[in-house]
């Protein structure tokens, strides 16, 4: 079914670019700050701190860009497939940190590009349901051409963000989109392109997100 709300292609591209910039601006800014400290400070401990900040921030920026390349970008020619092992690597780099742990259970197979993009975008959605951190358990079962995704996010103060279900369905409640709402809306676009149906439900201590062949 085609959603009634239609977003101009230029607006979609602009909002997705804003989303990617939002994800990388903090680590890039930290790299700049670290370089300024190295340039201005003579204290050895401060220089060591700056180097550590630059290293950590560089890894974070790289991980977020690698994730965006698959989750939001073309990541290959039209009709290509993506290795789920590569998807796991970029997902861990993007999601797993001091606040969130990622458990991954999936076969090491090549899967149609849009289905992998959907899986990664649903992991981002899952992260938004545990604002204070916790764990995300992602499971992929079934045939590579018709998989089933089951993602369980557990954490204190877990909740389904307001308007999430509508955004996934392609019908933003406000009738407009901004850079914060574009990611779940885009996940919904990908789900329909991949012929998969997404469901979101609150469970004890968390939120479960599933996707099955439509």
């Amino acid at each position: 079914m085609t959603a009634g709300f239609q977003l101009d292609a230029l607006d979609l591209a602009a909002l997705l670019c804003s989303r990617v910039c939002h994800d990388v601006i903090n680590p890039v800014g930290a790299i700049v700050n670290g370089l300024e400290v190295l340039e201005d400070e003579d204290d050895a401990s401060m220089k060591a701190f700056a180097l550590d900040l630059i290293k950590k921030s560089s890894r974070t920026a790289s991980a977020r860009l690698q994730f965006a390349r698959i989750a939001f970008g073309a990541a290959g020619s039209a009709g290509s497939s993506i290795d789920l092992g590569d998807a796991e690597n970029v997902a861990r780099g993007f999601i797993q940190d001091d606040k969130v742990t990622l458990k991954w259970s999936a076969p090491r197979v090549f899967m149609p590009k849009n289905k992998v993009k959907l899986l990664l975008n649903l992991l981002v959605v899952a992260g938004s349901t545990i604002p204070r951190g916790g764990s995300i358990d992602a499971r992929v079962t079934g045939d590579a051409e018709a998989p089933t995704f089951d993602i369980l996010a557990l954490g204190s103060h877990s909740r389904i963000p307001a308007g999430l279900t509508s955004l996934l369905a392609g019908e933003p409640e406000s009738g407009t989109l901004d850079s914060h709402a574009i990611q779940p809306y885009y996940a919904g676009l990908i789900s329909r392109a991949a012929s998969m149906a997404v469901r979101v439900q609150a469970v004890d201590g968390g939120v479960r997100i599933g996707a099955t062949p439509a």
Side-chain angles (χ1 to χ4, degrees), residues 31-171:
I31 293 170
V32 173
N33 291 337
L35 290 171
E36 290 177 347
V37 171
L38 284 180
E39 188 176 74
D40 298 336
E41 283 286 342
D42 294 324
D43 183 76
S45 63
M46 286 298 294
K47 284 183 177 291
F49 171 80
L51 281 172
D52 185 57
L53 176 64
I54 291 169
K55 289 178 182 178
K56 289 180 178 178
S57 300
S58 296
R59 286 194 294 267
T60 298
S62 176
R64 292 182 179 183
L65 286 172
Q66 290 180 55
F67 182 89
R69 178 177 174 269
I70 296 179
F72 305 130
S77 59
S80 67
S81 296
I82 297 174
D83 187 339
L84 274 186
D86 293 337
E88 177 186 1
N89 290 336
V90 299
R92 289 194 182 282
F94 183 82
I95 293 170
Q96 189 161 288
D97 55 24
D98 294 337
K99 290 178 57 181
V100 180
T101 58
L102 174 64
K103 302 175 184 177
W104 181 279
S105 177
R108 185 70 187 255
V109 296
F110 281 86
M111 186 173 286
K113 179 174 62 179
N114 278 345
K115 289 179 169 51
V116 177
K117 288 164 69 74
L118 175 61
L119 174 60
L120 294 180
N121 274 274
L122 291 181
L123 288 174
V124 178
V125 172
S128 72
T129 70
I130 46 173
R132 299 197 181 183
S135 65
I136 297 176
D137 188 347
R139 298 179 180 273
V140 179
T141 56
D143 184 82
E145 296 296 325
T148 294
F149 303 151
D150 181 38
I151 301 171
L152 178 62
L154 298 174
S156 64
H157 297 81
S158 63
R159 81 289 186 272
I160 298 175
L164 174 61
T165 302
S166 297
L167 287 168
L168 289 169
E171 295 289 352

Side-chain angles (χ1 to χ4, degrees), residues 1-6 169 171 192:
M1 183 178 67
T2 302
F5 175 83
Q6 296 295 321
E171 295 289 352
R192 291 183 285 280

Side-chain angles (χ1 to χ4, degrees), residues 7-22:
L7 182 65
D8 181 81
L10 289 176
D11 289 337
L12 175 63
L15 288 169
L16 284 176
C17 286
S18 294
R19 166 70 199 212
V20 173
C21 290
H22 175 270

